[in-house]
Amino acid sequence: MRGRVNAALVTGGALVGIVVLAAFVSFVWTPHDPTLVDASGKLHQPGGGYLLGADKFGRDTLSQLMVGARTTLYVGIVAVGIAALLGTPLGMLAGMTPRGWLSELIMRVNDLVFAFPALLLAVMLGAVYGGGTLTAMIAIGVATVPAFARVARAATMQVMVTDYILAARAAGRRRAAIAVRHVLPNIASMLIVQASVSFAIAILAEAALSFLGFGTRPPTPSWGRMLQESQELLFSTPRLALWPGLAIALAVLGFNLLGDGLRDFLDPKLRRIRAER
């Protein structure tokens, strides 16, 4: 058990670390200007001045992947942040009053939002405000709110029946103080795991939105748009789709493995099982 957990944490952390490192390095250095159109380098094969080759516009593939990692992380961080800031307090409020009308209202609205996937929300927002990075972040963030609300509600309901919560209520502490000082610290580990899993979902959603034209606009590089631009050359130059597809797959795998590893490591029950073994 310990070996599997460590493997998930290490592998996931390594993959996520590669993506983060590429994003940070892209702020100070890239092999070429990722937005520079160079007709002389059109479809340049890997090697020479183009380590991973160039696309149909002569843009360096490696440079685009590096800046695309920055775009992906930016969208993911903001989207998951929106979801956590909205979903966590709503879920905690519903969990602290599980039998009240407010809890029922929150969860029914939560179910309603859950029925609208990020792609549909992005299409709706794009039709009103136009597509772009901001549209993608808001759509993904709002669509992910129900996941955080459900996790926070379930975890809060478990915490609220513990002895120290009963003691705090008997001491006359206000509900807001109990939520901040006792509930939130005890559900933080579950929220961290949910954030990691939601980040993987956000990466896929951002790539899909960019592929459909509702995400990051050119000339800013995006893994999803790199896939979209490679469609017409898929059979003649498959490497144009291979690199961004591989980047998306590894990033999603990394965050999923990291989430699984964190869940097993932070769960007290699983820690006790490992100790017994």
Side-chain angles (χ1 to χ4, degrees), residues 104-183:
E104 188 68 18
L105 177 62
I106 291 174
M107 298 316 296
R108 296 296 73 78
V109 173
N110 190 71
D111 293 338
L112 180 62
V113 175
F114 193 72
F116 289 88
L119 292 178
L120 181 57
L121 284 175
V123 171
M124 295 169 60
L125 292 175
V128 178
Y129 301 105
T133 305
L134 180 61
T135 300
M137 290 188 297
I138 294 175
I140 297 170
V142 172
T144 314
V145 167
F148 276 89
R150 290 184 175 187
V151 170
R153 179 178 182 269
T156 299
M157 291 176 65
Q158 293 179 353
V159 173
M160 289 300 294
V161 298
T162 56
D163 293 339
Y164 57 87
I165 294 293
L166 297 177
R169 296 175 66 179
R173 288 188 176 176
R174 295 182 178 181
R175 184 175 298 176
I178 293 175
V180 174
R181 298 183 59 180
H182 299 289
V183 177

Side-chain angles (χ1 to χ4, degrees), residues 10 37 59 63 93 111 137 144 212 220 234 236 254 260 262 266:
V10 171
V37 176
R59 298 172 301 190
S63 300
L93 182 59
D111 293 338
M137 290 188 297
T144 314
L212 295 173
T220 305
L234 185 61
S236 61
D260 288 342
L262 287 173
L266 297 174

Side-chain angles (χ1 to χ4, degrees), residues 27-64:
F27 280 104
V28 296
W29 176 84
T30 54
H32 298 272
D33 184 347
T35 63
L36 178 63
V37 176
D38 182 11
S40 63
K42 178 180 178 180
L43 297 178
H44 194 288
Q45 293 296 320
Y50 299 91
L51 184 61
L52 300 181
D55 65 7
K56 61 182 180 181
F57 300 110
R59 298 172 301 190
D60 180 51
T61 300
L62 178 58
S63 300
Q64 285 198 304

Side-chain angles (χ1 to χ4, degrees), residues 203-269:
I203 291 174
L204 283 176
E206 190 279 331
L209 291 173
S210 296
F211 183 88
L212 295 173
F214 293 101
T216 304
R217 293 179 175 180
T220 305
S222 168
W223 293 345
R225 198 174 63 256
M226 290 177 69
L227 283 175
Q228 191 274 333
E229 293 173 349
S230 68
Q231 284 185 101
E232 60 187 54
L233 300 173
L234 185 61
F235 294 102
S236 61
T237 317
R239 62 177 172 80
L240 295 180
L242 172 64
W243 298 120
L246 186 61
I248 294 171
L250 291 179
V252 171
L253 177 63
F255 278 101
N256 276 326
L257 287 176
L258 185 63
D260 288 342
L262 287 173
R263 179 197 61 200
D264 294 345
F265 181 77
L266 297 174
D267 192 325
K269 295 181 180 178

